[in-house]
Amino acid sequence: MSRRTINTLAMEEIGIVSKIIGEETIKRRLLDLGLIEGTEIKPVLISPSGDPRAFEFRGGLIAIRKEDAENVEIR
Amino acid sequence: MRILKKDRGVKQNKIETKAKYTVALAGNPNVGKSTIFNNLTGMNQHTGNWTGKTVANATGYFEYRGENYQLVDIPGTYSIMSHSEEEEIARNYICFGNPDVTIVVVDATCLERNLNLVLQIAEITDNIILCVNLLDEAKKKKITVDLERLSQILKIPVVGVTARNKKTLNELLKVTRKACEHKEEAKTIYQVQYEESIEKAIQELQEMLMKQYSIKPKLARWIGIKILDGEESIIKEIENHLHIDIRENDGRKSNKHNENDNNSKTKLDTKEICKKDKEEKIENKNTLKIKKKQIIKDLQEKGITQEIFKEKLVTTMVKNAEEIAKKVCKFENKAYAKRDRKIDKILTSKKYGIPIMILFLLIIFWITIVGANYPSQFLFSVFGNIQEKLIQFATYIHCPEWLSNMLILGVYQTLTWVISVMLPPMAIFFPLFTILEDLGYLPRIAFNMDGFFKKACCSGKQMITMCMGFGCNSCGVTGCRIIDSPRERLIAILTNNLVPCNGRFPFLITIASIFIAGTIGGIGASILSTVSVILVIILGIIMTLVISKILSKTILKGMPSSFVLELPPYRKPQFLKVLVRSIFDRTIFILGRAIAVAAPAGLVIWLFANIGIQGESLLTIIANFLDPLANLMGLDGYILTAFIFGIPANEIVLPIILMCYMQGTSLVNMEDTFAIGEILRQNGWTILTAINVMLFTVFHFPCATTLLTIKKETGSLKWTAISFLIPTVCGIVICMFTTFIYHVLVI
């Protein structure tokens, strides 16, 4: 199967993070927010313009743009 | 290149010299750090906080049981490992600012994520107090945190508080005092343990650093980790502060350090000691570098490249935080965020999200404009009475008429005018806006609008600064500090003036109601004038996006940076605090700058209106000179002159226009819109003039206060000049365009 990222998650669908890839700054940023392997993540809100989406994980709600979300792979 | 220079120097203060202890206040954003700071220090602070974020280190003072404490509020960050400016400031202060104790504030409702920062700070210093805030919110959401257990695990003092309730802070003070007094005692607090091979590598470097540079074990371990991590900016800071040479190709710089060290020792002046000292240092340096190389090589052989190393660090840290949180937090109600999500679904929905946002903003503007009328009138009459008394007094002391006129009708009148028209709207707008901020709504605005701003290669947060710009462009410019990327921040600063502020709204409304509504009358009239004002504003927003895009493609080239924005839980605003803070931090501050400009400007306006050559005032001469350009723009020379002389505050543009038309020598205050309309029409205003005046009101140079603020925020005359030119050129081009179209259509 092709690569899955949190962008492929439907709204309210829970995903489990497998890996964070990408350029160092953004990678670090996502990791720092607690997006490490095994983290449960769920998109819950979508901006009126379709992007970004807001994801619920580790008890917080974080808006992430599509380009950045592409770096968060899920199992 | 450093685009933005910010004022973050911690100023000296008399109390500072008396402060016995320095306490740093750290924490994630949105955990109520600033509330704690404000409650502890009261009004004893240097810098105000803007838009929910402390970007500079704010310093305050408080006294507890006879001792003076200095409290340093460092920027709220999720981590002190990555690159952003705030994180660097926060990290540098904790590492090198030498606070006696660091208080880390965490949010009880999302302890797990907050613990990440706590563990990072625990790697740097043993003197930490954990302050678990928002216990009331946690209680509402049925989350319990076992503070005692948490303290046992982390082996640091843990205090639970509800920051908005001042009383709960007493315990924090008590613990802080104790920690300050016992700061020298050796402690072994919780430490994140990495996997074996990494630990071994860290330990080797740690020992070496301890031995060769006599650095304390804790700091040595941390430096060891950072050396392996290879984060340039941190290593640079370590080199600068501790005079350790780590990087490969920076021999020049370190020699300088050595020279400095030698200079300080010249009093001993035994050259040989110096030489020996120098040689020893160079030797140490080399062995450290060799060791570093070797350890990194060893790690790589085990499959741990620098990239993997970094990832492992963060992952271990987050996992540790997760484990601790599991042990101490109890969620009785799993769906604790349900209410928030329900509200969010409405406020960010495709259908209602943006309309609700516009509605909120319209309500705020409406309250501001209508509500400001009464206090404005009151101030006018008070200042007017004083003015009469001043004139009487001047006559009484036989002050020459020209002097009293110049000072009273020139300086005093313009000054009080600006205060009367600026103070009330700001005193209403900012508290209202701060309430939205306190509620947690502003990040939702950014979330809703991010898509549009991304297309302009900018950040959604620019929307928040734009909204502030509707209140006051100067505040909007300062608010741009919330944007992380320097490029995007600069764009937001340069384009902020493209939306009209409070000072321009009444003028827009007056013109619209005279010329656009006046042509038809009835209920349709007020609707039409409202619509026309809204259209002009929308044009302003569109231009903001267009100009942002153009800037992104030309002088400020770049891709949109990553946009990661927390949408914090909704909270009940603290109304009283909102009122006090927004008035002191914003209103008074802006007013101060406006006054500084208005007084001299009043003098200049008076002089130009009263000094003349051959019966013509200088004002008229300038107006005649500007007339050809003004005609091309569908305006007249006086209007342009008024805009130029109205630079201290947009509110005085109309009074200057009226003054010119009526051949007066001081500003004209006229309440009756009908009478204003008569005068304007007699002076040749048509519907085209009205439309162009409205357009030029939105698109022209920023007022002096805003320009001063831009200069301060960017630290650059060049960018200030560009911020002046962008809207002005837009305005001239747009007005010429409408004039051209109008003439084509009419003829």
Side-chain angles (χ1 to χ4, degrees):
Chain A
M1 213 184 102
S2 67
R3 179 171 168 266
R4 292 191 68 204
T5 68
I6 51 172
N7 279 333
T8 58
L9 285 172
M11 295 299 282
E12 304 289 338
E13 184 193 349
I14 294 174
I16 295 178
V17 176
S18 61
K19 205 179 171 205
I20 310 284
I21 55 150
E23 186 252 332
E24 207 193 306
T25 324
I26 178 66
K27 187 172 164 183
R28 213 55 212 260
R29 207 151 218 214
L30 295 168
L31 285 171
D32 276 338
L33 287 168
L35 278 180
I36 57 162
E37 198 204 325
T39 308
E40 279 186 20
I41 184 164
K42 180 172 85 170
V44 288
L45 296 175
I46 181 159
S47 163
S49 47
D51 182 39
R53 290 205 292 180
F55 297 87
E56 229 176 48
F57 59 91
R58 296 190 182 270
L61 180 64
I62 312 278
I64 306 176
R65 277 181 180 170
K66 222 174 225 157
E67 293 81 8
D68 302 322
E70 201 53 36
N71 295 322
V72 185
E73 295 184 349
I74 48 169
R75 302 204 257 270
Chain B
M1 183 183 71
R2 192 145 177 226
I3 304 181
L4 287 151
K5 198 187 97 203
K6 274 197 259 161
D7 176 38
R8 62 171 56 92
V10 179
K11 287 178 205 156
Q12 296 289 320
N13 186 295
K14 276 176 199 160
I15 325 170
E16 193 173 336
T17 48
K18 279 192 269 167
K20 189 170 176 188
Y21 297 117
T22 303
V23 179
L25 200 58
N28 282 16
N30 308 308
V31 292
K33 214 158 54 73
S34 295
T35 315
I36 293 181
F37 181 74
N38 290 335
N39 270 339
L40 288 181
T41 58
M43 288 298 150
N44 279 322
Q45 36 177 290
H46 289 313
T47 32
N49 300 331
W50 297 81
T51 346
K53 213 168 178 187
T54 322
V55 179
N57 287 338
T59 316
Y61 300 90
F62 67 90
E63 202 196 300
Y64 181 69
R65 300 218 173 148
E67 299 287 4
N68 278 313
Y69 293 80
Q70 183 189 28
L71 190 63
V72 180
D73 188 14
I74 55 184
T77 58
Y78 296 105
S79 154
I80 44 172
M81 286 178 163
S82 357
H83 304 290
S84 87
E85 213 174 347
E86 291 90 60
E87 290 185 19
E88 257 170 51
I89 299 167
R91 184 201 63 221
N92 286 351
Y93 191 78
I94 297 168
C95 299
F96 312 114
N98 288 325
D100 294 309
V101 166
T102 303
I103 300 175
V104 190
V105 185
V106 295
D107 179 349
T109 63
C110 42
L111 188 71
E112 188 188 318
R113 204 189 54 225
N114 283 231
L115 276 177
N116 188 20
L117 181 72
V118 180
L119 296 180
Q120 286 184 24
I121 295 175
E123 279 195 329
I124 303 170
T125 168
D126 283 326
N127 290 314
I128 312 183
I129 297 169
L130 183 58
C131 174
V132 182
N133 189 19
L134 301 163
L135 283 174
D136 51 339
E137 298 281 331
K139 206 174 162 188
K140 263 190 229 157
K141 292 179 177 171
K142 301 212 165 127
I143 301 169
T144 48
V145 182
D146 187 345
L147 299 178
E148 222 166 283
R149 185 87 202 276
L150 189 57
S151 176
Q152 279 167 9
I153 296 172
L154 295 173
K155 301 193 195 97
I156 57 173
V158 175
V159 189
V161 300
T162 305
R164 57 179 67 192
N165 182 350
K166 241 179 173 168
K167 275 184 206 152
T168 61
L169 292 176
N170 260 332
E171 181 66 20
L172 179 65
L173 286 173
K174 217 165 102 191
V175 174
T176 307
R177 178 173 176 235
K178 211 173 140 197
C180 283
E181 281 167 359
H182 297 274
K183 61 167 178 157
E184 299 294 348
E185 279 172 23
K187 311 170 187 72
T188 38
I189 67 167
Y190 182 91
Q191 191 111 59
V192 174
Q193 293 294 317
Y194 302 101
E195 61 178 65
E196 220 187 308
S197 49
I198 292 180
E199 277 297 327
K200 206 179 133 236
I202 294 172
Q203 267 164 29
E204 271 180 56
L205 274 176
Q206 182 189 15
E207 273 161 27
M208 186 153 206
L209 285 160
M210 280 163 62
K211 241 197 321 216
Q212 293 189 346
Y213 294 90
S214 45
I215 296 170
K216 285 181 189 161
K218 182 102 188 176
L219 191 60
R221 179 183 158 88
W222 182 74
I223 295 173
I225 296 172
K226 293 300 137 190
I227 289 176
L228 294 174
D229 190 3
E231 188 82 54
E232 275 285 315
S233 71
I234 302 186
I235 290 174
K236 230 191 224 159
E237 291 295 333
I238 295 173
E239 284 180 335
N240 284 342
H241 284 88
L242 303 171
H243 298 201
I244 303 173
D245 199 35
I246 301 163
R247 286 173 300 171
E248 299 297 319
N249 318 317
D250 218 281
R252 240 183 325 140
K253 204 174 183 186
S254 60
N255 276 341
K256 224 184 195 172
H257 278 311
N258 285 345
E259 273 161 29
N260 286 343
D261 287 350
N262 289 344
N263 284 342
S264 61
K265 282 171 195 157
T266 42
K267 274 182 187 164
L268 298 169
D269 211 55
T270 22
K271 270 185 184 169
E272 272 177 33
I273 292 178
C274 281
K275 207 178 163 193
K276 218 176 165 185
D277 194 43
K278 203 170 176 176
E279 274 167 8
E280 206 171 276
K281 273 200 167 171
I282 290 169
E283 202 176 296
N284 281 348
K285 220 163 57 194
N286 289 338
T287 42
L288 179 66
K289 274 182 187 167
I290 292 164
K291 189 91 186 168
K292 174 189 147 195
K293 248 189 193 161
Q294 185 207 328
I295 291 173
I296 289 177
K297 208 178 134 208
D298 285 353
L299 280 175
Q300 262 165 3
E301 271 167 18
K302 286 176 195 156
I304 304 175
T305 61
Q306 197 153 54
E307 206 191 332
I308 294 174
F309 180 84
K310 279 176 195 205
E311 213 176 309
K312 289 210 161 157
L313 280 194
V314 186
T315 312
T316 316
M317 197 78 89
V318 176
K319 278 195 175 136
N320 271 258
E322 191 180 343
E323 269 164 39
I324 298 170
K326 251 186 210 149
K327 284 180 195 157
V328 298
C329 289
K330 245 199 249 155
F331 300 88
E332 281 165 39
N333 177 8
K334 281 268 175 204
Y336 61 88
K338 229 176 177 176
R339 186 204 57 164
D340 277 10
R341 279 312 87 75
K342 263 188 196 156
I343 301 174
D344 270 334
K345 285 256 148 77
I346 301 167
L347 292 182
T348 64
S349 77
K350 197 162 188 160
K351 237 187 194 164
Y352 306 113
I354 292 177
I356 289 175
M357 181 189 85
I358 294 172
L359 191 72
F360 271 150
L361 293 176
L362 279 182
I363 291 173
I364 289 186
F365 296 140
W366 186 78
I367 296 176
T368 307
I369 291 166
V370 174
N373 263 334
Y374 306 99
S376 269
Q377 287 311 319
F378 174 75
L379 286 175
F380 262 120
S381 69
V382 170
F383 286 132
N385 283 337
I386 297 175
Q387 183 167 338
E388 268 167 37
K389 297 267 153 57
L390 282 174
I391 293 174
Q392 279 168 15
F393 178 72
T395 329
Y396 176 73
I397 59 162
H398 301 292
C399 177
E401 209 188 325
W402 64 268
L403 183 65
S404 73
N405 277 352
M406 186 168 82
L407 292 178
I408 298 169
L409 295 179
V411 178
Y412 174 84
Q413 201 190 3
T414 313
L415 186 67
T416 56
W417 195 299
V418 169
I419 296 173
S420 309
V421 290
M422 261 179 116
L423 182 60
M426 286 206 294
I428 297 173
F429 179 83
F430 286 122
L432 290 175
F433 196 77
T434 317
I435 286 174
L436 278 192
E437 180 185 327
D438 250 33
L439 271 171
Y441 182 61
L442 295 189
R444 271 82 185 175
I445 292 187
F447 178 69
N448 281 343
M449 300 298 289
D450 184 58
F452 301 103
F453 283 92
K454 191 175 81 181
K455 285 197 187 102
C457 302
C458 289
S459 160
K461 288 181 193 163
Q462 192 175 337
M463 183 66 198
I464 298 175
T465 65
M466 202 170 88
C467 291
M468 288 187 80
F470 281 120
C472 167
N473 293 121
S474 175
C475 270
V477 168
T478 320
C480 291
R481 291 179 183 179
I482 58 169
I483 299 170
D484 303 318
S485 134
R487 186 188 72 87
E488 287 164 16
R489 190 182 320 143
L490 196 50
I491 290 178
I493 289 174
L494 296 180
T495 55
N496 194 276
N497 197 57
L498 294 170
V499 293
C501 65
N502 266 329
R504 295 185 262 171
F505 271 118
F507 185 36
L508 287 174
I509 293 167
T510 308
I511 302 295
S513 54
I514 294 171
F515 287 91
I516 294 170
T519 48
I520 51 168
I523 302 173
S526 60
I527 295 175
L528 198 63
S529 70
T530 313
V531 169
S532 63
V533 172
I534 291 174
L535 279 178
V536 176
I537 294 168
I538 291 175
L539 187 64
I541 297 174
I542 293 172
M543 285 306 283
T544 303
L545 290 168
V546 171
I547 299 289
S548 298
K549 175 102 190 177
I550 293 174
L551 286 173
S552 295
K553 294 286 169 212
T554 53
I555 50 173
L556 285 165
K557 261 196 193 118
M559 291 304 290
S561 70
S562 62
F563 178 80
V564 175
L565 174 78
E566 186 183 10
L567 305 176
Y570 291 104
R571 274 173 207 151
K572 207 175 87 194
Q574 302 158 265
F575 291 97
L576 193 69
K577 208 140 282 158
V578 162
L579 199 69
V580 172
R581 292 247 70 81
S582 52
I583 287 185
F584 277 89
D585 284 355
R586 292 175 178 160
T587 314
I588 300 289
F589 181 74
I590 297 292
L591 200 66
R593 277 191 188 169
I595 287 172
V597 185
L603 183 65
V604 172
I605 294 171
W606 188 87
L607 288 175
F608 276 70
N610 288 277
I611 296 174
I613 302 164
Q614 295 166 352
E616 274 194 332
S617 72
L618 283 176
L619 220 49
T620 312
I621 294 168
I622 294 174
N624 287 338
F625 172 75
L626 289 173
D627 223 32
L629 172 68
N631 282 334
L632 276 177
M633 293 167 61
L635 304 171
D636 70 34
Y638 282 115
I639 301 174
L640 273 193
T641 315
F643 273 106
I644 293 169
F645 281 90
I647 202 166
N650 282 293
E651 288 90 339
I652 60 169
V653 170
L654 184 59
I656 298 177
I657 293 178
L658 293 175
M659 172 178 90
C660 292
Y661 287 154
M662 294 165 81
Q663 300 292 326
T665 53
S666 63
L667 300 183
V668 176
N669 186 15
M670 213 179 255
E671 271 314 300
D672 187 1
T673 354
F674 185 76
I676 297 176
E678 279 305 297
I679 295 170
L680 296 180
R681 283 205 186 88
Q682 278 164 18
N683 282 280
W685 280 45
T686 60
I687 182 87
L688 174 72
T689 327
I691 290 173
N692 282 341
V693 166
M694 284 176 78
L695 288 169
F696 201 65
T697 303
V698 178
F699 304 113
H700 72 283
F701 38 82
C703 71
T705 314
T706 308
L707 285 172
L708 272 180
T709 310
I710 294 172
K711 170 77 183 37
K712 191 125 193 284
E713 290 297 309
T714 59
S716 138
L717 267 178
K718 179 185 139 203
W719 292 118
T720 314
I722 291 175
S723 77
F724 181 95
L725 287 174
I726 289 173
T728 313
V729 171
C730 281
I732 293 174
V733 171
I734 292 173
C735 286
M736 283 182 175
F737 180 72
T738 51
T739 311
F740 175 74
I741 296 288
Y742 181 83
H743 287 311
V744 168
L745 287 179
V746 169
I747 298 164

